[in-house]
Amino acid sequence: ASLYDGTAFARDGVVLVTVNYRLGIAGFLDLPGAPRNRGLLDVLAALRWVRENIAAFGGDPDRVTLFGQSAGATLTGAAIAAPQATGLVRRAIVQSGSGLGAFTPEQAARVREAAAAALGIAPEAADAEAFDALPDAALVEAAGRLGGIDLRTATAFDPLIGLSPFSLVMEEQPADAVAAGRGAAAGIDLLIGVNSEEGNLYLVPSGAHAASTAADVRTAAEVSHPDPDRLLAAYRAEHPEAAYGQVRSAVMGDALFGAGSWALAGAHAERSAGATYGYLFDWRSPALGGELGATHTV
C-alpha cells in the first residue's frame, strides 16, 4: 500500500490493481486440449484474487470496478457477461469496446488453421500440445503474419473487420448473453461509450483517410454489414456533405465499437438492476494537423 500513499488514488480512497492477461496465440487461439479464451480466464482469476486479498490493501471487495479500453473494454464486457464473475464486480467501465466482438467457433477454426500453417503444424495435429512445444518467440512472430484472413461466414461477419485475427471465441455474443439475462451483469452498474471518430486511427496516419474513394467506402460497408446499401444510405442521410474518408471512418468505427457498445448498453439497461450510463467522447485531438480528431484511444 505504501507504493500508492502519495498518489491521487490513495488521496481519494481508491486502490488500483492492474491486470495482465495472455494475448495472441497464448491467450485467444482456440485449440483442442486447452480451455477457450485463456486471456479472459486470466482476468477472472485476477478478480478472484482481488475478492480474496484486496482488503489487505485497504480496498473493499464489495466495491470492485472493472474497466478497460479497446480490447480491454471488449474483455470487460465479456467478463460481466460471464457467470464466473458473479459477486466479483460491482461496477464496470467499457471504453471503446464491443459487446458484439467475439468470433464464432467456425471463425476461430479458420484462425487456428492459418496459425498452424504459419508454424508448420499439420492441420490434424493443431492442438494445444503441438503449440505448447514451440517457443514463445515463434508464436509471437507467427501471430504477426496472420493478418488478412477472411473470417466472413454464412452466419457471421468479422467483428474486427480484418484488423486482428484474435478475439474472444464464443457461441453467443456478450451483449446477447446480457440481453438473455445470463452472466453477472444483472447486479452491475455499467458506464459505456465510444469516441465520435473512432475509425480515424486506422485511416488518418497512413493518409488513407484523405485518399479514400467511393469504392473504399463501399468495401468498408460490405465487410461490416449484411445490407451495405441500406447502411450507406443511412450515413448519407445523416451526413450528406461528408467526405469519403469521413464516411469510411464512421462505418469502421461503428462496426468495430459503436454498434457493439450500444447493443451491450441497451441489453444492460433492459435486463440489469444496476444503472446504465452511456457517453460519447468528442474532444478532437490537434495531432496530425487536427485530422486525427476524436479517434480511437484518444
Side-chain angles (χ1 to χ4, degrees), residues 120-174:
I121 300 172
E124 64 275 11
D127 58 14
E129 185 177 359
F131 281 84
D132 193 46
L134 298 171
D136 289 345
L139 302 182
V140 172
E141 191 278 332
R145 294 189 281 118
L146 295 181
I149 304 171
D150 186 358
L151 295 180
R152 288 174 291 177
T153 71
T155 58
F157 279 79
D158 179 354
L160 302 185
I161 59 174
L163 293 179
S164 173
F166 299 107
S167 187
L168 297 153
V169 181
M170 296 182 165
E171 300 279 357
E172 179 181 51
Q173 293 287 357

mmCIF file of all heavy atoms in Angstrom, residues 120-174:
data_model
loop_
_atom_site.group_PDB
_atom_site.id
_atom_site.type_symbol
_atom_site.label_atom_id
_atom_site.label_comp_id
_atom_site.label_asym_id
_atom_site.label_seq_id
_atom_site.Cartn_x
_atom_site.Cartn_y
_atom_site.Cartn_z
ATOM 1 N N GLY A 120 4.082 -24.423 -39.424
ATOM 2 C CA GLY A 120 4.471 -25.726 -39.936
ATOM 3 C C GLY A 120 3.855 -26.890 -39.200
ATOM 4 O O GLY A 120 4.413 -27.995 -39.169
ATOM 5 N N ILE A 121 2.684 -26.681 -38.609
ATOM 6 C CA ILE A 121 1.973 -27.737 -37.901
ATOM 7 C C ILE A 121 0.889 -28.302 -38.816
ATOM 8 O O ILE A 121 0.108 -27.551 -39.410
ATOM 9 C CB ILE A 121 1.327 -27.206 -36.605
ATOM 10 C CG1 ILE A 121 2.393 -26.638 -35.663
ATOM 11 C CG2 ILE A 121 0.524 -28.288 -35.911
ATOM 12 C CD1 ILE A 121 1.815 -25.928 -34.453
ATOM 13 N N ALA A 122 0.836 -29.616 -38.944
ATOM 14 C CA ALA A 122 -0.185 -30.243 -39.777
ATOM 15 C C ALA A 122 -1.569 -29.935 -39.212
ATOM 16 O O ALA A 122 -1.748 -29.935 -37.989
ATOM 17 C CB ALA A 122 0.032 -31.750 -39.832
ATOM 18 N N PRO A 123 -2.569 -29.680 -40.079
ATOM 19 C CA PRO A 123 -3.900 -29.312 -39.584
ATOM 20 C C PRO A 123 -4.477 -30.309 -38.594
ATOM 21 O O PRO A 123 -5.081 -29.921 -37.590
ATOM 22 C CB PRO A 123 -4.742 -29.251 -40.867
ATOM 23 C CG PRO A 123 -3.759 -28.960 -41.948
ATOM 24 C CD PRO A 123 -2.492 -29.658 -41.549
ATOM 25 N N GLU A 124 -4.262 -31.603 -38.852
ATOM 26 C CA GLU A 124 -4.824 -32.612 -37.964
ATOM 27 C C GLU A 124 -4.115 -32.683 -36.614
ATOM 28 O O GLU A 124 -4.610 -33.299 -35.662
ATOM 29 C CB GLU A 124 -4.788 -33.987 -38.629
ATOM 30 C CG GLU A 124 -3.397 -34.534 -38.917
ATOM 31 C CD GLU A 124 -2.817 -34.049 -40.241
ATOM 32 O OE1 GLU A 124 -3.410 -33.117 -40.847
ATOM 33 O OE2 GLU A 124 -1.796 -34.602 -40.673
ATOM 34 N N ALA A 125 -2.934 -32.043 -36.531
ATOM 35 C CA ALA A 125 -2.160 -32.047 -35.285
ATOM 36 C C ALA A 125 -2.197 -30.710 -34.572
ATOM 37 O O ALA A 125 -1.447 -30.496 -33.612
ATOM 38 C CB ALA A 125 -0.716 -32.438 -35.583
ATOM 39 N N ALA A 126 -3.061 -29.806 -35.019
ATOM 40 C CA ALA A 126 -3.093 -28.448 -34.456
ATOM 41 C C ALA A 126 -3.854 -28.430 -33.143
ATOM 42 O O ALA A 126 -5.009 -27.993 -33.060
ATOM 43 C CB ALA A 126 -3.709 -27.484 -35.453
ATOM 44 N N ASP A 127 -3.200 -28.918 -32.086
ATOM 45 C CA ASP A 127 -3.815 -28.908 -30.775
ATOM 46 C C ASP A 127 -2.909 -28.198 -29.782
ATOM 47 O O ASP A 127 -1.833 -27.698 -30.135
ATOM 48 C CB ASP A 127 -4.130 -30.334 -30.307
ATOM 49 C CG ASP A 127 -2.891 -31.228 -30.250
ATOM 50 O OD1 ASP A 127 -1.758 -30.706 -30.319
ATOM 51 O OD2 ASP A 127 -3.064 -32.457 -30.143
ATOM 52 N N ALA A 128 -3.341 -28.140 -28.529
ATOM 53 C CA ALA A 128 -2.585 -27.403 -27.511
ATOM 54 C C ALA A 128 -1.183 -27.962 -27.338
ATOM 55 O O ALA A 128 -0.222 -27.202 -27.167
ATOM 56 C CB ALA A 128 -3.338 -27.446 -26.188
ATOM 57 N N GLU A 129 -1.042 -29.262 -27.403
ATOM 58 C CA GLU A 129 0.268 -29.877 -27.206
ATOM 59 C C GLU A 129 1.245 -29.443 -28.294
ATOM 60 O O GLU A 129 2.412 -29.138 -28.014
ATOM 61 C CB GLU A 129 0.134 -31.399 -27.186
ATOM 62 C CG GLU A 129 1.432 -32.131 -26.877
ATOM 63 C CD GLU A 129 1.251 -33.628 -26.783
ATOM 64 O OE1 GLU A 129 0.108 -34.104 -26.934
ATOM 65 O OE2 GLU A 129 2.256 -34.326 -26.554
ATOM 66 N N ALA A 130 0.788 -29.389 -29.537
ATOM 67 C CA ALA A 130 1.668 -29.004 -30.639
ATOM 68 C C ALA A 130 2.134 -27.557 -30.509
ATOM 69 O O ALA A 130 3.308 -27.248 -30.733
ATOM 70 C CB ALA A 130 0.944 -29.209 -31.965
ATOM 71 N N PHE A 131 1.228 -26.666 -30.131
ATOM 72 C CA PHE A 131 1.599 -25.262 -29.986
ATOM 73 C C PHE A 131 2.464 -25.040 -28.748
ATOM 74 O O PHE A 131 3.366 -24.213 -28.743
ATOM 75 C CB PHE A 131 0.353 -24.381 -29.946
ATOM 76 C CG PHE A 131 -0.248 -24.111 -31.288
ATOM 77 C CD1 PHE A 131 -1.125 -25.012 -31.878
ATOM 78 C CD2 PHE A 131 0.058 -22.949 -31.981
ATOM 79 C CE1 PHE A 131 -1.670 -24.767 -33.126
ATOM 80 C CE2 PHE A 131 -0.477 -22.692 -33.234
ATOM 81 C CZ PHE A 131 -1.353 -23.610 -33.813
ATOM 82 N N ASP A 132 2.171 -25.791 -27.690
ATOM 83 C CA ASP A 132 2.933 -25.645 -26.454
ATOM 84 C C ASP A 132 4.383 -26.078 -26.613
ATOM 85 O O ASP A 132 5.260 -25.631 -25.862
ATOM 86 C CB ASP A 132 2.268 -26.450 -25.335
ATOM 87 C CG ASP A 132 2.810 -26.108 -23.962
ATOM 88 O OD1 ASP A 132 2.940 -24.906 -23.669
ATOM 89 O OD2 ASP A 132 3.112 -27.028 -23.193
ATOM 90 N N ALA A 133 4.649 -26.914 -27.596
ATOM 91 C CA ALA A 133 6.017 -27.400 -27.818
ATOM 92 C C ALA A 133 6.908 -26.345 -28.472
ATOM 93 O O ALA A 133 8.134 -26.507 -28.518
ATOM 94 C CB ALA A 133 5.981 -28.656 -28.680
ATOM 95 N N LEU A 134 6.304 -25.267 -28.958
ATOM 96 C CA LEU A 134 7.058 -24.227 -29.661
ATOM 97 C C LEU A 134 7.442 -23.105 -28.702
ATOM 98 O O LEU A 134 6.716 -22.802 -27.765
ATOM 99 C CB LEU A 134 6.218 -23.662 -30.806
ATOM 100 C CG LEU A 134 5.831 -24.668 -31.894
ATOM 101 C CD1 LEU A 134 4.835 -24.054 -32.853
ATOM 102 C CD2 LEU A 134 7.071 -25.152 -32.652
ATOM 103 N N PRO A 135 8.594 -22.443 -28.949
ATOM 104 C CA PRO A 135 8.986 -21.328 -28.085
ATOM 105 C C PRO A 135 8.062 -20.134 -28.250
ATOM 106 O O PRO A 135 7.467 -19.932 -29.319
ATOM 107 C CB PRO A 135 10.411 -21.006 -28.555
ATOM 108 C CG PRO A 135 10.489 -21.535 -29.948
ATOM 109 C CD PRO A 135 9.595 -22.742 -29.987
ATOM 110 N N ASP A 136 7.951 -19.345 -27.196
ATOM 111 C CA ASP A 136 7.076 -18.169 -27.236
ATOM 112 C C ASP A 136 7.425 -17.237 -28.389
ATOM 113 O O ASP A 136 6.538 -16.664 -29.031
ATOM 114 C CB ASP A 136 7.166 -17.403 -25.915
ATOM 115 C CG ASP A 136 6.493 -18.143 -24.767
ATOM 116 O OD1 ASP A 136 5.726 -19.077 -25.031
ATOM 117 O OD2 ASP A 136 6.737 -17.769 -23.606
ATOM 118 N N ALA A 137 8.713 -17.054 -28.655
ATOM 119 C CA ALA A 137 9.132 -16.144 -29.721
ATOM 120 C C ALA A 137 8.555 -16.569 -31.063
ATOM 121 O O ALA A 137 8.179 -15.728 -31.889
ATOM 122 C CB ALA A 137 10.657 -16.076 -29.785
ATOM 123 N N ALA A 138 8.477 -17.878 -31.303
ATOM 124 C CA ALA A 138 7.925 -18.371 -32.562
ATOM 125 C C ALA A 138 6.433 -18.074 -32.649
ATOM 126 O O ALA A 138 5.919 -17.722 -33.726
ATOM 127 C CB ALA A 138 8.175 -19.868 -32.683
ATOM 128 N N LEU A 139 5.726 -18.202 -31.525
ATOM 129 C CA LEU A 139 4.295 -17.915 -31.515
ATOM 130 C C LEU A 139 4.030 -16.436 -31.771
ATOM 131 O O LEU A 139 3.113 -16.069 -32.520
ATOM 132 C CB LEU A 139 3.684 -18.329 -30.181
ATOM 133 C CG LEU A 139 3.837 -19.795 -29.763
ATOM 134 C CD1 LEU A 139 3.127 -20.034 -28.437
ATOM 135 C CD2 LEU A 139 3.313 -20.737 -30.833
ATOM 136 N N VAL A 140 4.827 -15.580 -31.151
ATOM 137 C CA VAL A 140 4.656 -14.135 -31.339
ATOM 138 C C VAL A 140 4.940 -13.746 -32.786
ATOM 139 O O VAL A 140 4.204 -12.967 -33.404
ATOM 140 C CB VAL A 140 5.568 -13.354 -30.377
ATOM 141 C CG1 VAL A 140 5.530 -11.867 -30.698
ATOM 142 C CG2 VAL A 140 5.140 -13.592 -28.927
ATOM 143 N N GLU A 141 6.005 -14.300 -33.345
ATOM 144 C CA GLU A 141 6.369 -13.971 -34.730
ATOM 145 C C GLU A 141 5.289 -14.440 -35.695
ATOM 146 O O GLU A 141 4.900 -13.718 -36.622
ATOM 147 C CB GLU A 141 7.712 -14.620 -35.069
ATOM 148 C CG GLU A 141 8.342 -14.142 -36.377
ATOM 149 C CD GLU A 141 7.782 -14.853 -37.600
ATOM 150 O OE1 GLU A 141 7.342 -16.012 -37.463
ATOM 151 O OE2 GLU A 141 7.772 -14.238 -38.690
ATOM 152 N N ALA A 142 4.772 -15.630 -35.481
ATOM 153 C CA ALA A 142 3.734 -16.162 -36.366
ATOM 154 C C ALA A 142 2.455 -15.351 -36.266
ATOM 155 O O ALA A 142 1.772 -15.120 -37.272
ATOM 156 C CB ALA A 142 3.461 -17.622 -36.022
ATOM 157 N N ALA A 143 2.115 -14.903 -35.058
ATOM 158 C CA ALA A 143 0.899 -14.116 -34.875
ATOM 159 C C ALA A 143 0.921 -12.853 -35.725
ATOM 160 O O ALA A 143 -0.115 -12.416 -36.236
ATOM 161 C CB ALA A 143 0.721 -13.762 -33.399
ATOM 162 N N GLY A 144 2.097 -12.282 -35.895
ATOM 163 C CA GLY A 144 2.228 -11.077 -36.705
ATOM 164 C C GLY A 144 2.049 -11.302 -38.185
ATOM 165 O O GLY A 144 1.968 -10.342 -38.959
ATOM 166 N N ARG A 145 1.985 -12.576 -38.598
ATOM 167 C CA ARG A 145 1.820 -12.900 -40.016
ATOM 168 C C ARG A 145 0.424 -13.423 -40.336
ATOM 169 O O ARG A 145 0.207 -13.975 -41.416
ATOM 170 C CB ARG A 145 2.870 -13.944 -40.434
ATOM 171 C CG ARG A 145 4.294 -13.425 -40.379
ATOM 172 C CD ARG A 145 5.293 -14.392 -40.995
ATOM 173 N NE ARG A 145 5.632 -15.490 -40.095
ATOM 174 C CZ ARG A 145 5.403 -16.769 -40.341
ATOM 175 N NH1 ARG A 145 4.792 -17.139 -41.457
ATOM 176 N NH2 ARG A 145 5.759 -17.707 -39.464
ATOM 177 N N LEU A 146 -0.507 -13.240 -39.426
ATOM 178 C CA LEU A 146 -1.832 -13.826 -39.616
ATOM 179 C C LEU A 146 -2.887 -12.818 -40.064
ATOM 180 O O LEU A 146 -4.083 -13.111 -40.006
ATOM 181 C CB LEU A 146 -2.294 -14.500 -38.320
ATOM 182 C CG LEU A 146 -1.478 -15.702 -37.858
ATOM 183 C CD1 LEU A 146 -2.059 -16.279 -36.574
ATOM 184 C CD2 LEU A 146 -1.409 -16.768 -38.942
ATOM 185 N N GLY A 147 -2.476 -11.669 -40.512
ATOM 186 C CA GLY A 147 -3.446 -10.685 -40.973
ATOM 187 C C GLY A 147 -4.078 -11.087 -42.291
ATOM 188 O O GLY A 147 -3.533 -11.881 -43.055
ATOM 189 N N GLY A 148 -5.247 -10.540 -42.562
ATOM 190 C CA GLY A 148 -5.876 -10.732 -43.855
ATOM 191 C C GLY A 148 -6.698 -11.994 -44.009
ATOM 192 O O GLY A 148 -7.105 -12.333 -45.130
ATOM 193 N N ILE A 149 -6.954 -12.726 -42.923
ATOM 194 C CA ILE A 149 -7.781 -13.930 -43.014
ATOM 195 C C ILE A 149 -9.239 -13.509 -43.213
ATOM 196 O O ILE A 149 -9.755 -12.668 -42.484
ATOM 197 C CB ILE A 149 -7.658 -14.782 -41.738
ATOM 198 C CG1 ILE A 149 -6.198 -15.140 -41.462
ATOM 199 C CG2 ILE A 149 -8.502 -16.044 -41.847
ATOM 200 C CD1 ILE A 149 -5.989 -15.784 -40.097
ATOM 201 N N ASP A 150 -9.891 -14.089 -44.210
ATOM 202 C CA ASP A 150 -11.309 -13.790 -44.438
ATOM 203 C C ASP A 150 -12.134 -14.597 -43.445
ATOM 204 O O ASP A 150 -12.232 -15.823 -43.547
ATOM 205 C CB ASP A 150 -11.696 -14.142 -45.870
ATOM 206 C CG ASP A 150 -13.128 -13.715 -46.203
ATOM 207 O OD1 ASP A 150 -13.822 -13.184 -45.301
ATOM 208 O OD2 ASP A 150 -13.560 -13.916 -47.349
ATOM 209 N N LEU A 151 -12.743 -13.931 -42.488
ATOM 210 C CA LEU A 151 -13.497 -14.611 -41.444
ATOM 211 C C LEU A 151 -15.009 -14.506 -41.644
ATOM 212 O O LEU A 151 -15.773 -14.957 -40.783
ATOM 213 C CB LEU A 151 -13.121 -14.045 -40.073
ATOM 214 C CG LEU A 151 -11.677 -14.298 -39.635
ATOM 215 C CD1 LEU A 151 -11.422 -13.688 -38.254
ATOM 216 C CD2 LEU A 151 -11.364 -15.785 -39.615
ATOM 217 N N ARG A 152 -15.427 -13.981 -42.758
ATOM 218 C CA ARG A 152 -16.862 -13.918 -43.010
ATOM 219 C C ARG A 152 -17.398 -15.324 -43.301
ATOM 220 O O ARG A 152 -16.816 -16.072 -44.072
ATOM 221 C CB ARG A 152 -17.165 -12.989 -44.169
ATOM 222 C CG ARG A 152 -16.964 -11.503 -43.841
ATOM 223 C CD ARG A 152 -17.124 -10.628 -45.059
ATOM 224 N NE ARG A 152 -16.025 -10.833 -46.011
ATOM 225 C CZ ARG A 152 -15.948 -10.241 -47.191
ATOM 226 N NH1 ARG A 152 -16.916 -9.427 -47.582
ATOM 227 N NH2 ARG A 152 -14.918 -10.460 -47.988
ATOM 228 N N THR A 153 -18.521 -15.648 -42.662
ATOM 229 C CA THR A 153 -19.149 -16.952 -42.868
ATOM 230 C C THR A 153 -20.599 -16.741 -43.297
ATOM 231 O O THR A 153 -21.062 -15.600 -43.432
ATOM 232 C CB THR A 153 -19.115 -17.795 -41.583
ATOM 233 O OG1 THR A 153 -20.040 -17.235 -40.628
ATOM 234 C CG2 THR A 153 -17.716 -17.815 -40.976
ATOM 235 N N ALA A 154 -21.309 -17.842 -43.482
ATOM 236 C CA ALA A 154 -22.709 -17.742 -43.894
ATOM 237 C C ALA A 154 -23.575 -17.119 -42.811
ATOM 238 O O ALA A 154 -24.654 -16.596 -43.096
ATOM 239 C CB ALA A 154 -23.239 -19.125 -44.250
ATOM 240 N N THR A 155 -23.087 -17.142 -41.570
ATOM 241 C CA THR A 155 -23.916 -16.654 -40.453
ATOM 242 C C THR A 155 -23.296 -15.501 -39.678
ATOM 243 O O THR A 155 -23.939 -14.966 -38.777
ATOM 244 C CB THR A 155 -24.197 -17.800 -39.467
ATOM 245 O OG1 THR A 155 -22.952 -18.318 -38.985
ATOM 246 C CG2 THR A 155 -24.989 -18.917 -40.142
ATOM 247 N N ALA A 156 -22.059 -15.119 -39.995
ATOM 248 C CA ALA A 156 -21.399 -14.102 -39.170
ATOM 249 C C ALA A 156 -20.436 -13.256 -39.987
ATOM 250 O O ALA A 156 -19.758 -13.752 -40.898
ATOM 251 C CB ALA A 156 -20.630 -14.767 -38.022
ATOM 252 N N PHE A 157 -20.392 -11.982 -39.656
ATOM 253 C CA PHE A 157 -19.377 -11.083 -40.192
ATOM 254 C C PHE A 157 -18.175 -11.087 -39.260
ATOM 255 O O PHE A 157 -18.266 -11.525 -38.105
ATOM 256 C CB PHE A 157 -19.933 -9.666 -40.334
ATOM 257 C CG PHE A 157 -20.746 -9.451 -41.567
ATOM 258 C CD1 PHE A 157 -22.066 -9.896 -41.636
ATOM 259 C CD2 PHE A 157 -20.203 -8.832 -42.676
ATOM 260 C CE1 PHE A 157 -22.817 -9.714 -42.777
ATOM 261 C CE2 PHE A 157 -20.942 -8.644 -43.822
ATOM 262 C CZ PHE A 157 -22.254 -9.088 -43.881
ATOM 263 N N ASP A 158 -17.053 -10.610 -39.747
ATOM 264 C CA ASP A 158 -15.866 -10.471 -38.907
ATOM 265 C C ASP A 158 -16.051 -9.236 -38.030
ATOM 266 O O ASP A 158 -16.049 -8.114 -38.537
ATOM 267 C CB ASP A 158 -14.632 -10.324 -39.797
ATOM 268 C CG ASP A 158 -13.342 -10.145 -39.008
ATOM 269 O OD1 ASP A 158 -13.395 -10.009 -37.766
ATOM 270 O OD2 ASP A 158 -12.266 -10.115 -39.641
ATOM 271 N N PRO A 159 -16.199 -9.394 -36.705
ATOM 272 C CA PRO A 159 -16.441 -8.219 -35.860
ATOM 273 C C PRO A 159 -15.253 -7.273 -35.790
ATOM 274 O O PRO A 159 -15.411 -6.123 -35.383
ATOM 275 C CB PRO A 159 -16.738 -8.837 -34.488
ATOM 276 C CG PRO A 159 -16.047 -10.159 -34.505
ATOM 277 C CD PRO A 159 -16.147 -10.644 -35.918
ATOM 278 N N LEU A 160 -14.066 -7.741 -36.180
ATOM 279 C CA LEU A 160 -12.871 -6.895 -36.174
ATOM 280 C C LEU A 160 -12.500 -6.441 -37.582
ATOM 281 O O LEU A 160 -11.420 -5.888 -37.790
ATOM 282 C CB LEU A 160 -11.699 -7.638 -35.521
ATOM 283 C CG LEU A 160 -11.940 -8.116 -34.092
ATOM 284 C CD1 LEU A 160 -10.669 -8.733 -33.508
ATOM 285 C CD2 LEU A 160 -12.414 -6.981 -33.199
ATOM 286 N N ILE A 161 -13.381 -6.675 -38.546
ATOM 287 C CA ILE A 161 -13.238 -6.273 -39.955
ATOM 288 C C ILE A 161 -11.808 -6.436 -40.490
ATOM 289 O O ILE A 161 -11.303 -5.576 -41.213
ATOM 290 C CB ILE A 161 -13.771 -4.846 -40.199
ATOM 291 C CG1 ILE A 161 -13.061 -3.794 -39.357
ATOM 292 C CG2 ILE A 161 -15.268 -4.793 -39.932
ATOM 293 C CD1 ILE A 161 -13.479 -2.348 -39.687
ATOM 294 N N GLY A 162 -11.176 -7.536 -40.126
ATOM 295 C CA GLY A 162 -9.867 -7.868 -40.676
ATOM 296 C C GLY A 162 -8.686 -7.255 -39.973
ATOM 297 O O GLY A 162 -7.544 -7.493 -40.370
ATOM 298 N N LEU A 163 -8.909 -6.481 -38.918
ATOM 299 C CA LEU A 163 -7.801 -5.789 -38.257
ATOM 300 C C LEU A 163 -6.997 -6.699 -37.338
ATOM 301 O O LEU A 163 -5.835 -6.412 -37.047
ATOM 302 C CB LEU A 163 -8.325 -4.591 -37.471
ATOM 303 C CG LEU A 163 -8.897 -3.444 -38.308
ATOM 304 C CD1 LEU A 163 -9.398 -2.337 -37.409
ATOM 305 C CD2 LEU A 163 -7.853 -2.907 -39.281
ATOM 306 N N SER A 164 -7.605 -7.768 -36.840
ATOM 307 C CA SER A 164 -6.889 -8.686 -35.961
ATOM 308 C C SER A 164 -7.471 -10.086 -36.103
ATOM 309 O O SER A 164 -8.695 -10.235 -36.243
ATOM 310 C CB SER A 164 -6.992 -8.237 -34.503
ATOM 311 O OG SER A 164 -6.428 -9.221 -33.636
ATOM 312 N N PRO A 165 -6.627 -11.121 -36.047
ATOM 313 C CA PRO A 165 -7.132 -12.495 -36.090
ATOM 314 C C PRO A 165 -7.445 -13.059 -34.709
ATOM 315 O O PRO A 165 -7.763 -14.240 -34.592
ATOM 316 C CB PRO A 165 -5.972 -13.252 -36.740
ATOM 317 C CG PRO A 165 -4.756 -12.537 -36.240
ATOM 318 C CD PRO A 165 -5.151 -11.074 -36.119
ATOM 319 N N PHE A 166 -7.332 -12.245 -33.670
ATOM 320 C CA PHE A 166 -7.537 -12.737 -32.310
ATOM 321 C C PHE A 166 -8.646 -11.962 -31.617
ATOM 322 O O PHE A 166 -8.646 -10.735 -31.597
ATOM 323 C CB PHE A 166 -6.251 -12.625 -31.492
ATOM 324 C CG PHE A 166 -5.124 -13.441 -32.058
ATOM 325 C CD1 PHE A 166 -4.061 -12.826 -32.689
ATOM 326 C CD2 PHE A 166 -5.152 -14.823 -31.976
ATOM 327 C CE1 PHE A 166 -3.031 -13.569 -33.231
ATOM 328 C CE2 PHE A 166 -4.122 -15.580 -32.518
ATOM 329 C CZ PHE A 166 -3.057 -14.957 -33.147
ATOM 330 N N SER A 167 -9.580 -12.727 -31.068
ATOM 331 C CA SER A 167 -10.638 -12.146 -30.253
ATOM 332 C C SER A 167 -11.177 -13.238 -29.354
ATOM 333 O O SER A 167 -10.721 -14.389 -29.398
ATOM 334 C CB SER A 167 -11.760 -11.572 -31.129
ATOM 335 O OG SER A 167 -12.705 -10.856 -30.335
ATOM 336 N N LEU A 168 -12.133 -12.883 -28.533
ATOM 337 C CA LEU A 168 -12.873 -13.879 -27.774
ATOM 338 C C LEU A 168 -13.513 -14.870 -28.741
ATOM 339 O O LEU A 168 -13.833 -14.512 -29.882
ATOM 340 C CB LEU A 168 -13.961 -13.202 -26.954
ATOM 341 C CG LEU A 168 -13.487 -12.214 -25.886
ATOM 342 C CD1 LEU A 168 -14.559 -11.171 -25.622
ATOM 343 C CD2 LEU A 168 -13.120 -12.971 -24.619
ATOM 344 N N VAL A 169 -13.699 -16.088 -28.302
ATOM 345 C CA VAL A 169 -14.375 -17.104 -29.108
ATOM 346 C C VAL A 169 -15.573 -17.593 -28.308
ATOM 347 O O VAL A 169 -15.413 -18.157 -27.223
ATOM 348 C CB VAL A 169 -13.434 -18.275 -29.443
ATOM 349 C CG1 VAL A 169 -14.165 -19.306 -30.293
ATOM 350 C CG2 VAL A 169 -12.183 -17.773 -30.162
ATOM 351 N N MET A 170 -16.791 -17.355 -28.833
ATOM 352 C CA MET A 170 -17.993 -17.657 -28.058
ATOM 353 C C MET A 170 -19.115 -18.126 -28.964
ATOM 354 O O MET A 170 -19.219 -17.714 -30.121
ATOM 355 C CB MET A 170 -18.450 -16.413 -27.280
ATOM 356 C CG MET A 170 -17.463 -15.943 -26.228
ATOM 357 S SD MET A 170 -18.088 -14.517 -25.307
ATOM 358 C CE MET A 170 -16.952 -14.522 -23.912
ATOM 359 N N GLU A 171 -19.950 -18.992 -28.416
ATOM 360 C CA GLU A 171 -21.157 -19.419 -29.117
ATOM 361 C C GLU A 171 -22.191 -18.295 -29.143
ATOM 362 O O GLU A 171 -23.056 -18.253 -30.021
ATOM 363 C CB GLU A 171 -21.756 -20.647 -28.417
ATOM 364 C CG GLU A 171 -20.850 -21.866 -28.354
ATOM 365 C CD GLU A 171 -20.857 -22.667 -29.636
ATOM 366 O OE1 GLU A 171 -21.612 -22.304 -30.555
ATOM 367 O OE2 GLU A 171 -20.103 -23.663 -29.709
ATOM 368 N N GLU A 172 -22.100 -17.386 -28.181
ATOM 369 C CA GLU A 172 -23.052 -16.302 -28.023
ATOM 370 C C GLU A 172 -22.303 -15.018 -27.707
ATOM 371 O O GLU A 172 -21.388 -15.011 -26.894
ATOM 372 C CB GLU A 172 -24.008 -16.655 -26.877
ATOM 373 C CG GLU A 172 -25.059 -15.633 -26.563
ATOM 374 C CD GLU A 172 -25.944 -16.072 -25.406
ATOM 375 O OE1 GLU A 172 -25.401 -16.451 -24.347
ATOM 376 O OE2 GLU A 172 -27.177 -16.036 -25.565
ATOM 377 N N GLN A 173 -22.685 -13.927 -28.365
ATOM 378 C CA GLN A 173 -22.027 -12.656 -28.108
ATOM 379 C C GLN A 173 -22.335 -12.177 -26.687
ATOM 380 O O GLN A 173 -23.428 -12.424 -26.161
ATOM 381 C CB GLN A 173 -22.501 -11.600 -29.119
ATOM 382 C CG GLN A 173 -22.073 -11.859 -30.547
ATOM 383 C CD GLN A 173 -20.591 -11.590 -30.775
ATOM 384 O OE1 GLN A 173 -19.861 -11.152 -29.886
ATOM 385 N NE2 GLN A 173 -20.123 -11.852 -31.990
ATOM 386 N N PRO A 174 -21.379 -11.476 -26.047
ATOM 387 C CA PRO A 174 -21.644 -10.977 -24.693
ATOM 388 C C PRO A 174 -22.921 -10.144 -24.575
ATOM 389 O O PRO A 174 -23.677 -10.296 -23.604
ATOM 390 C CB PRO A 174 -20.392 -10.142 -24.393
ATOM 391 C CG PRO A 174 -19.310 -10.804 -25.178
ATOM 392 C CD PRO A 174 -19.985 -11.245 -26.455
#
